Amino acid sequence: MIHDASPRELARIRNQKIGFVFQFFNLLPKLNVLQNVELPMIYSGLAGRERRERAVQALRMVEMDNRAKHRPMQLSGGQQQRTAIARALVNNPKIVFADEPTGNLDSHTGEVILELFRKLSQEGRTIALVTHDPEIAAVTPRRIEIRDGKIARHVDLKLAGLDRVNAERGTRNAEQAANPQSPTAN
Amino acid sequence: MNLWNAILIGFKEIWAHKFRSLLTMLGIILGVSSLVAMSALVKGMEVGAKEALIAIGGLQKVRIEPQDVPIQQWQLKDQAVGVTINDVYALEASAPLVAKISPEMRLFGATASKKGKSFRPWNCTGVWPVALEMYEHVIHYGRMFNEIDDEMARNVCVIGTGVRDELFGSPEDIGEEINPVGETININGQLFTVIGMFDHYESEQERKERELAKLQPKQASTGPKRSRGWSGRGGSFAFRMKNNTLLMPLNTVWMKFRAAGAGASKSSSTAADTVNVPDPRLSVLEVKIADVDHINIALQQIRNVLMATHKGIEDFSFRTQEEWAENINTFIHNARMSGGIIAGISLLVGGIGIMNIMLASISERVREIGIRKAVGAATEDVFVQILVESIVIAVLGGLVGLIASYGLVRLIVSFSPTDNAPIITITAMAIAFFFSACVGIMAGLFPAFKAARLDPIQALRYE
């Protein structure tokens, strides 16, 4: 389906079905936080007022609504990444791809971001998170390990009935992020 | 993404790089303003050139001149009557397409003198009072002679300012305007009373030169007093000719100077022809036709009438101002072409400047384009965005250029205040603006295409 889609259809799929979160945030430095979050909706043709409302809503979700008029350069890494997540979510995509979302952040901020992902996952969103870090991988409910381009291991806590055990044990801080690890990048 | 958003983004992008955008626009500004200024200059020239044409009576005026009998009618030569006053009555009676007829009897080489000063007017002619309208003369002092003066063959004349200047002195030289009405002058030994003087005719350009000269302090002339040549006063030929006119009633000229036949060509008319002709022979017949658009039909009508009065002998010919008008048009066309090409090239260079900047701008915005594509911008969204940016630059430049063209025209005027005033036309502005928008589109196409074709994955990786 993806293979024989036209460029226009691909753009639509990127716009409506997929949200992207990058390691380097990839916000537009010329636009402020609100405008960055509005960007996907501009391309889906929403009217100005609705864009504004939904962008503010998405920012509230990531607790960035008080920074709406800031430029990305005026924000910390974590704030930038939360903005990027808001941008990824604003069109209600079927799946969010996150490529090393914590890779460029210090570990504390990284945990905050992971916590956010965990919350989103619990709200019922599908998130594909790519990471090299086994500690981060450990908090996800479903893991697919890729080695040299091949699936090396597939751990599904839900299937094994271990998710509840894990949850009760409350291992580390960001434990319950229900994130399958996926090979898909960008 | 709708167009309004694209335009908004375009403006933001331009605002983000104010200086760069300004420099880019400068090419378009210069192109547009030079295009408008050039067309204003040419328009001014056109008006100036047509001024002279109107001064001598416009396109409607046709001159009927006597000419040699054509070779195939050679045997009828001694029956040729020439252009006579009879033709005037015939044309008045049977050529409805003719609006005005002015018979003329020219006095060649006539000398006018006054108190030892003598002068040969360019044009010393006996006419009917209708000549006033025929040549678009305007009476400044006194009056034109009327039908009674003509009927009684009175010794009266109306002179142009050129004649006045020569016989009485010009206002520039003696510092005051002389009214020659009532003075008596001597024309070829006969006394004539000046009863009127025409306006001083000059082109817009000459008027300005004169006014400018008035403002500047008079330079002390060094050396002995002398005439500095013909080009000094009077300016262009048509106006000088018109000023150097001396008009007398037709009958006066015919009776006092026996000038009949004076205009008939030398080869066909012997001295005997000029005396004892029952009809006064005219040197020329000026005719004003009613409608320029039907000049061919009117000329045919005149020819038919004259062929009847001339017993089928074609001893006359027509002379119109069409060629002059065509020359003006050719000149204007050429000036417009050459100016337009130069201004067009500068507009093109401006367009190349825009393209250059747009290419540089997209190569530094590859990442931005990647991000936009990642969040859902389609190929055509990026294409439109870049294209609109380029058009916005060009259109803004065009608008500023239109304003700048006013400044440019004023600058040109201040450089040479005596030239024909440039006239900025709405058409020229519209064309220049339209071209600047076109240039914007042309310059934006390639960069927009290049940007739109970027692969989002490659673009995101780009550093």
Side-chain angles (χ1 to χ4, degrees), chain B residues 21-22 69 92 127 139 158 185 289 302 384 398 434:
Chain B
S21 306
L22 185 74
V69 179
E92 273 180 346
V127 291
I139 294 286
V158 180
I185 61 171
I289 55 171
I302 296 168
V384 166
F434 172 74

Side-chain angles (χ1 to χ4, degrees), chain B residues 293-311:
Chain B
D293 296 334
H294 300 122
I295 190 164
N296 286 329
I297 306 170
L299 288 184
Q300 189 59 50
Q301 198 174 58
I302 296 168
R303 186 172 180 275
N304 289 344
V305 173
L306 292 186
M307 284 306 260
T309 57
H310 287 227
K311 295 179 269 181

Side-chain angles (χ1 to χ4, degrees), chain A residues 7-8 11 14-15 20 22 24 26-28 30 35 39-40 42-43 51 87 186, chain B residues 1 5 12-13 365 367-368 371-381 456 460:
Chain A
R8 183 197 288 256
R14 285 197 296 271
N15 188 233
F20 290 104
F22 304 95
F24 295 105
N26 277 347
L27 300 170
L28 288 184
K30 279 175 286 197
Q35 289 166 329
L39 198 59
I42 288 179
Y43 292 115
R51 281 204 315 253
R87 183 179 66 183
N186 74 69
Chain B
M1 183 162 70
N5 276 321
K12 272 185 195 155
E13 194 57 43
R365 281 159 64 194
R367 211 180 160 80
E368 178 196 323
I371 295 170
R372 285 183 186 275
K373 283 199 158 182
V375 300
T379 312
E380 51 268 32
D381 291 329
L460 271 178

Side-chain angles (χ1 to χ4, degrees), chain A residues 111-127:
Chain A
E111 272 163 21
V112 174
I113 296 296
L114 282 178
E115 183 65 24
L116 185 59
F117 273 129
R118 194 183 60 80
K119 198 179 101 203
L120 293 171
S121 161
Q122 278 177 348
E123 281 169 10
R125 294 178 194 271
T126 312
I127 295 163

Side-chain angles (χ1 to χ4, degrees), chain A residues 25 30 54 66 96 102 112-113 116 121 123-124 130 140 148 183:
Chain A
F25 325 131
K30 279 175 286 197
R54 280 174 63 174
N66 55 343
V96 174
T102 57
V112 174
I113 296 296
L116 185 59
S121 161
E123 281 169 10
V130 182
T140 60
D148 300 331

Side-chain angles (χ1 to χ4, degrees), chain A residues 81-97:
Chain A
Q81 194 60 299
R82 281 191 283 166
T83 308
I85 291 168
R87 183 179 66 183
L89 294 176
V90 78
N91 259 349
N92 284 321
K94 291 261 185 291
I95 185 166
V96 174
F97 288 118

